Amino acid sequence: MTAVSSVVEEARQPATARARARVRTETKDGIAVVLLDDAAATQNTITPELGEELIASLDAVIADASVRAVVVASAKPAGFLAGANVESLRGIRFAEDASAKAKRLAASFQRVARSEKPFVALVHGPALGGGFELALACTHIVATDDPRTVVGLPEVRLGLIPAANGLLRVAERAGIAVALDLGLSGRSIAAARARSLGLVDEIVAPSIALEAARRVAKKLAEKPKRRFLPRVSPSFVQRFFLDQTRMGRTLLARRARARMEGRTHGHYPAPEAILEVLERFGARGFSAAAELEAKRFGELVVGETAHRLVELFQAHTSAKKDTGLDNGETAAAARVERMVVVGAGLIGAGITAVSAERGVVVRLKERDDDALGRGIRYVQDHLHTRARGGHLTRLERARALTRITTATAFTGMRTADLVVEAVYEDLTLKHAVVRDLEAIVREECVIASSTASLPIARIAESARHPERILGMHYFAPVTKVPLVEVVRGPATSARALATAVALGRRQGKTVIVVKDGAGFYTTRTLAPFLHEALRLVEEGVPVDVVDEALVEWGFPLGPLHLFDELGIDLAGHVAGLLQTAFGDRLRAPKALSALRLDDRKGRKNGRGFYLYGRGARAEKRVDDTVYTALGIDPQRPRASAPPRREEIQARCALALVNEALRCLDEGVLRTARDGDLGAVLGLGFPAFRGGPFRYVDVLGAAEVLKRTRALEQRLGDRFTPAPLLVEAARRGRRFWST
């Protein structure tokens, strides 16, 4: 019996009371168990209702003279408390209201922290945001060794900051540097890593967790309440210097601000607020920082950035429930236990890494041992990084590596449930791979292509079983980009589609399902964005000016830098396919051919728009010889009036947005939700703008149409507004209902 089921059994109440209560308490031998259990949800979140019950329950056990110690736990199978309910946050209209709610919850947790009665948090499953803040307010934290047990403060990913003093308590327990890391990254860490940082006190098996928590509570009740003492370790002196000296705190803040500005470019106010709060904590203490924290939280909750990021979070949540099947279709996904990856390059090795890490047995195939060796080294480096960051134990890393076998021939693949081919974007080569696979694998085996542009119908045209062939378009690096675009060909069966969607989610990806066609959704919409940037260079706008303008607008990389990363040779190949499919509207500028003739492939051969130094700190700089290759002089622009930064941004961004609208209109996209998720997660469209469809809604379809028409009149048919944009402007249509 697990800790959770034990708690449920021992905290049973009559059905009528259980239906009403979201938080319930049972006291035995002076030990109270406060049990979180919102029956209306699969996981506990701090809704207004649960929040009120939680505050009342905590106050009640503090006031109850018969209670000597308290255990706070959850009745959910795997989940402690996942922070604030985002839907309730969206309903807050005024900053003062949000600040007041934060202060009230923080005051309740502070009463727990200051109580003479020991509180023990029993954490099984995720304890995130407000859930982690509640645990941190307790005297002692017992966590289970279940892989699902993680802790973190992810609020920054919603454009918010922790609002119940969690950052401050992390700083008290583990130091300001750790608080900055967890707060600014929003990452979750496993229980073992948390314990090494002093953020968890004890790790036990789920089967004995409740017994262990009660034992600790009883022991603490028998002696004066233990106050936190810094853990003496080799890093203790360094931590003391950073936290307790003015020079150390200044150094921490300076480093954190430099990293933050390099990532956010001023578009995301939450990281700045986190830094301000922790600076205040270091300079003036807990109470002053807590006051500032509540104020900043209120301001952020009602801000536009938080609105967009919360909307994206809700889109993520919705997408997780989408099978990808059309209305009326039903199919059970086959569980992929064994898979084959053909091609050990950057994409193939990445697919292998994320699959093996999550329990799938992988056969990695390449043409020779050297290529296989490079692929396996990539996988090893990824798993080592994950283990070093506390996401995997050494044993889990070792087990992941044992799940991988290699081959230079089509052998050892007969039992595979799914195959992903990740070879070069060449139709003849992909046909050959499909033929070789069909001669070996079972008829039930799904065959997926990682192509970024080739229509699945073309890849499947010579297959004996086209119904099992589809696309799984991953993005480089696969280990970091959280999107996979599953492409359904005209013959793809519902079973094959459901299986691919399920595998993508198991790999930790957000999955969007799109209709077949050249470039699908992401590549098709990225192409006009890149092409417009290249046209600006043709007009004499310097490379770095174009890239800086788009980074300033919110993209993580400038389009010309992205050309180098993707490969100029591959971009040229894809451009030809898109022009064949869509005509002059997606014709690449002549400059792309000139770059290919000059043997410029980008970072892969060190010849692109930029020169790249060696080493982690090496800066990139524009390769001035690229202008010679293009036959232009950036000091003498061809245009009579060089474009302003705002025009550079509008031309590139609206080229992408307009094509996204065409994709929805033509049924390539199933929903605007998928379009926004695909653009933000796969293409780097600014998250604080919500994605292309949310961007149109916020700006207004009529205004977007006006701007696109103006570009069409000046620059030609490539900016002809998508019919869906024209219709939306005429009817006042929105793509999102909220």
Side-chain angles (χ1 to χ4, degrees), residues 204-234:
V204 298
S207 59
I208 63 168
L210 177 60
E211 178 186 344
R214 279 183 162 153
R215 172 180 49 78
V216 170
K218 182 179 180 181
K219 183 177 180 181
L220 290 173
E222 293 170 352
K223 62 182 181 179
K225 181 177 176 183
R226 179 181 68 87
R227 300 294 180 183
F228 171 73
L229 294 174
R231 180 173 298 181
V232 178
S233 67

Side-chain angles (χ1 to χ4, degrees), residues 20-68:
R20 290 194 302 268
R22 295 172 180 83
V23 182
R24 55 188 186 271
T25 304
E26 182 188 82
T27 302
K28 181 179 179 181
D29 298 329
I31 308 298
V33 175
V34 176
L35 187 65
L36 310 175
D37 187 14
D38 188 346
T42 56
Q43 65 177 350
N44 296 316
T45 60
I46 303 176
T47 61
E49 298 80 10
L50 186 143
E52 289 299 318
E53 291 188 28
L54 176 60
I55 291 172
S57 297
L58 294 175
D59 287 348
V61 294
I62 290 173
D64 189 342
S66 69
V67 173
R68 298 164 53 230

Side-chain angles (χ1 to χ4, degrees), residues 319-325 331-337 339 354-355 358 360 417-418 446 470-472 474 484 486 494-513:
K320 289 177 182 177
K321 303 172 185 175
D322 189 348
T323 64
L325 300 175
R335 182 166 175 83
V336 176
E337 298 293 354
M339 67 181 293
V354 298
S355 303
R358 288 163 177 81
V360 182
D417 303 304
L418 184 143
V446 176
L470 46 68
M472 291 187 75
Y474 295 85
V484 61
V486 172
R495 176 186 176 277
L497 182 68
T499 299
V501 169
L503 175 63
R505 294 204 178 113
R506 185 175 176 186
Q507 292 168 332
K509 305 297 182 185
T510 296
V511 180
I512 63 170
V513 175

Side-chain angles (χ1 to χ4, degrees), residues 259-333:
R259 290 196 301 270
M260 176 189 71
E261 291 173 352
R263 294 172 183 172
T264 68
H265 301 283
H267 294 302
Y268 298 88
E272 176 64 34
I274 287 171
L275 192 52
E276 287 179 14
V277 168
L278 287 171
E279 284 180 309
R280 176 76 63 88
F281 171 79
R284 295 175 53 187
F286 193 106
S287 297
E291 190 69 26
L292 178 62
E293 175 188 272
K295 182 175 185 295
R296 290 287 181 264
F297 176 78
E299 294 166 350
L300 292 168
V301 164
V302 298
E304 286 296 311
T305 298
H307 286 178
R308 301 292 84 80
L309 296 181
V310 167
E311 289 158 357
L312 278 172
F313 173 81
Q314 292 177 311
H316 277 278
T317 302
S318 171
K320 289 177 182 177
K321 303 172 185 175
D322 189 348
T323 64
L325 300 175
D326 293 332
N327 290 336
E329 279 191 310
T330 58

Side-chain angles (χ1 to χ4, degrees), residues 416-736:
D417 303 304
L418 184 143
V419 179
V420 180
E421 64 81 3
V423 300
Y424 187 71
E425 292 284 279
D426 178 82
L427 188 59
T428 301
L429 176 58
K430 290 183 182 290
H431 279 165
V433 170
V434 170
R435 283 196 302 271
D436 288 338
L437 289 171
E438 283 203 309
I440 298 171
V441 299
R442 300 172 298 133
E443 289 190 7
E444 297 82 8
C445 180
V446 176
I447 298 177
S449 172
S450 69
T451 177
S453 58
L454 291 168
I456 299 304
R458 296 292 312 279
I459 294 173
E461 61 191 1
S462 61
R464 296 201 311 269
H465 295 284
E467 70 280 0
R468 65 177 173 182
I469 296 179
L470 46 68
M472 291 187 75
H473 176 204
Y474 295 85
F475 300 77
V478 178
T479 53
K480 294 183 179 180
V481 180
L483 182 76
V484 61
E485 184 179 31
V486 172
V487 187
R488 186 172 193 174
T492 303
S493 70
R495 176 186 176 277
L497 182 68
T499 299
V501 169
L503 175 63
R505 294 204 178 113
R506 185 175 176 186
Q507 292 168 332
K509 305 297 182 185
T510 296
V511 180
I512 63 170
V513 175
V514 300
K515 189 176 77 172
D516 193 21
F520 322 128
Y521 168 63
T522 53
T523 301
R524 178 175 162 184
T525 52
L526 181 63
F529 172 77
L530 297 176
H531 292 173
E532 201 59 35
L534 193 47
R535 287 190 177 92
L536 285 159
V537 175
E538 282 184 326
E539 295 169 16
V541 182
V543 167
D544 51 344
V545 171
V546 174
D547 274 355
E548 288 168 7
L550 272 301
V551 169
E552 182 183 274
W553 200 75
F555 282 92
L557 295 179
L560 303 169
H561 184 184
L562 186 55
F563 257 122
D564 277 2
E565 296 295 330
L566 295 174
I568 296 171
D569 54 336
L570 178 60
H573 178 70
V574 171
L577 296 172
L578 294 176
Q579 182 181 333
T580 299
F582 301 106
D584 287 346
R585 185 170 56 78
L586 289 186
R587 179 188 294 274
K590 294 179 181 178
L592 188 53
S593 296
L595 292 169
R596 297 177 73 191
L597 286 172
D598 196 41
D599 192 33
R600 290 181 182 267
K601 298 179 180 179
R603 188 187 280 271
K604 69 176 72 173
N605 75 339
R607 288 175 53 78
F609 290 96
Y610 291 92
L611 296 171
Y612 300 89
R614 294 183 178 181
R617 297 184 179 181
E619 294 184 2
K620 73 180 193 306
R621 65 183 189 279
V622 175
D623 181 356
D624 290 333
T625 64
V626 73
Y627 299 121
T628 304
L630 296 176
I632 59 176
D633 182 354
Q635 303 303 319
R636 300 177 62 184
R638 296 178 183 179
S640 56
R644 294 180 303 167
R645 181 157 295 208
E646 293 78 8
E647 181 180 341
I648 294 171
Q649 294 165 345
R651 283 173 59 173
C652 293
L654 288 177
L656 186 157
V657 169
N658 200 38
E659 199 63 33
L661 289 163
R662 290 182 182 275
C663 287
L664 182 61
D665 197 21
E666 296 168 15
V668 174
L669 284 170
R670 298 163 65 237
T671 62
R673 178 203 68 197
D674 289 353
D676 281 347
L677 287 174
V680 170
L681 300 180
L683 306 181
F685 193 94
F688 71 92
R689 299 186 188 275
F693 296 95
R694 185 71 73 174
Y695 175 71
V696 173
D697 280 355
V698 171
L699 200 58
E703 178 61 25
V704 175
L705 177 62
K706 175 183 174 182
R707 298 182 187 188
T708 308
R709 286 277 192 216
L711 291 173
E712 179 191 25
Q713 292 169 5
R714 289 181 44 235
L715 300 171
D717 293 346
R718 68 180 185 272
F719 278 104
T720 298
L724 189 58
L725 176 59
V726 176
E727 178 195 359
R730 179 175 60 84
R731 300 176 59 184
R733 173 184 172 183
R734 292 174 56 86
F735 296 101
W736 287 89

